[in-house]
Amino acid sequence: MPRLFPCSCSPVASVTEYSNKDTLTLGSYKLSPAGSRGSRVNVQVTDKLGTRLHSRLNAPAEGNFAFTAPEHSDFDVCFQNMADDNVAPNPASVRSVELTVRTSFCF
């Protein structure tokens, strides 16, 4: 079931999920339109050891990711709503994120 949560300008909005070792994890997300010009969202998925499992700078409005978990562990899916260079961040610029994560596709 998709999760819907806000992603304000500057801080990182994260969701934590669990995956078993050697299982395929699939994720998809949809971002609401930017409320102001000069806004971009970066997406990053990391495990608890800090290993980057997926990373996308200036992510499109809709995207997908997939990875095979290296260990039994939690992982974080993080979205960072940022102002572009030379544009002052607008604290009121909040974008919604709709995130769906499916795990436990064993090999």
Side-chain angles (χ1 to χ4, degrees), residues 1-92:
M1 171 166 259
R3 296 182 189 196
L4 185 64
F5 57 94
C7 183
S8 57
C9 201
S10 205
V12 175
S14 295
V15 172
T16 301
E17 293 281 344
Y18 180 82
S19 188
N20 290 312
K21 182 178 180 175
D22 297 328
T23 59
L24 177 63
T25 298
L26 304 173
S28 63
Y29 62 87
K30 292 181 184 177
L31 303 171
S32 66
S36 61
R37 187 177 62 82
S39 173
R40 69 180 187 277
V41 173
N42 299 328
V43 180
Q44 184 165 290
V45 181
T46 56
D47 67 14
K48 287 299 178 186
L49 298 175
T51 304
R52 190 175 303 163
L53 305 170
H54 173 81
S55 182
R56 180 73 188 256
L57 300 177
N58 198 15
E62 293 186 29
N64 300 297
F65 59 86
F67 63 88
T68 301
E71 299 293 331
H72 299 287
S73 177
D74 289 337
F75 61 91
D76 295 318
V77 182
C78 300
F79 296 84
Q80 185 176 27
N81 186 15
M82 301 181 63
D84 287 336
D85 295 339
N86 302 320
V87 176
N90 179 355

Side-chain angles (χ1 to χ4, degrees), residues 82-106:
M82 301 181 63
D84 287 336
D85 295 339
N86 302 320
V87 176
N90 179 355
S93 178
V94 176
R95 296 177 75 173
S96 294
V97 178
E98 182 180 317
L99 175 66
T100 302
V101 177
R102 296 176 297 183
T103 62
S104 300
F105 295 95
C106 297

